Amino acid sequence: MAKKHKRWDGNERRQPAMILVAGDQADSNELLTRILGAAGYRTTVAETVDHALTRCAEHLPRAVVIDLSQRGIGSSLQLLDGIRSNDDPRVSNTRVVVVARSTANRNFTFQSGGDGYLLRPFHANDLTAMVAEVLALEPEMRAEHRRLMIEGVRPS
């Protein structure tokens, strides 16, 4: 069977993936954007849930890294829900990595549609590896990936 190829618009093929950093601390946002930029990604930043949802619709990032540490995991999950429930499939299918301070909501994050989870503190390599991992997930494998993450099995 012939493999389906994605249609590319303009220079999209030559551009690195866009990553939205949704964080409520300027220093953390700057650090995350520097790490992702050094790994070759383009980035944009949003400071609030509403701003992040607007940015998702405007920039259509391939992934969102949510680090709303001041507002807590509830705001992170609210943004995740807003992305997953968006009417535009280009937004609702965006890969999402949640950064948290404890593992208390790890399973709930995956049950809510998260694709990746990072526990603070983490190394730059952890962030770039997690983003690369979620971007590499084939759409039909995302549900299985989440199931394995809930069970504590790291997919290979």
Side-chain angles (χ1 to χ4, degrees):
M1 183 162 85
K3 184 177 179 179
K4 291 183 181 178
H5 294 283
K6 178 179 176 182
R7 286 192 171 211
W8 298 96
D9 298 324
N11 290 324
E12 180 181 331
R13 177 181 281 177
R14 292 181 199 92
Q15 293 184 358
M18 170 66 74
I19 309 298
L20 170 63
V21 174
D24 53 12
Q25 293 183 350
D27 291 344
S28 180
N29 291 346
E30 183 177 344
L31 179 62
L32 292 171
T33 58
R34 283 186 183 196
I35 292 169
L36 293 168
Y41 297 107
R42 295 177 299 141
T43 59
T44 186
V45 175
E47 297 80 24
T48 66
V49 170
D50 291 338
H51 189 216
L53 289 171
T54 301
R55 288 268 188 193
C56 279
E58 290 172 352
H59 295 283
L60 300 174
R62 295 260 329 273
V64 178
V65 176
I66 303 174
D67 186 15
L68 296 171
S69 56
Q70 294 272 359
R71 291 180 177 90
I73 194 72
S75 291
S76 297
L77 295 176
Q78 178 187 2
L79 176 52
L80 174 57
D81 181 58
I83 291 169
R84 290 294 173 250
S85 63
N86 193 288
D87 291 333
D88 185 343
R90 297 175 302 172
V91 174
S92 63
N93 289 320
T94 302
R95 305 305 198 263
V96 178
V97 175
V98 174
V99 177
R101 295 188 183 277
S102 78
T103 59
N105 291 298
R106 182 181 183 280
N107 287 351
F108 190 69
T109 298
F110 288 111
Q111 291 167 348
S112 299
D115 299 295
Y117 191 87
L118 281 176
L119 187 62
R120 281 190 169 277
F122 57 86
H123 294 283
N125 291 342
D126 297 332
L127 173 64
T128 56
M130 180 60 67
V131 169
E133 181 179 315
V134 302
L135 289 176
L137 282 173
E138 294 295 329
E140 63 275 4
M141 295 303 299
R142 289 172 73 194
E144 177 67 6
H145 168 79
R146 291 181 191 124
R147 185 188 66 75
L148 291 172
M149 295 302 283
I150 290 168
E151 291 178 3
V153 178
R154 187 111 181 149
S156 53

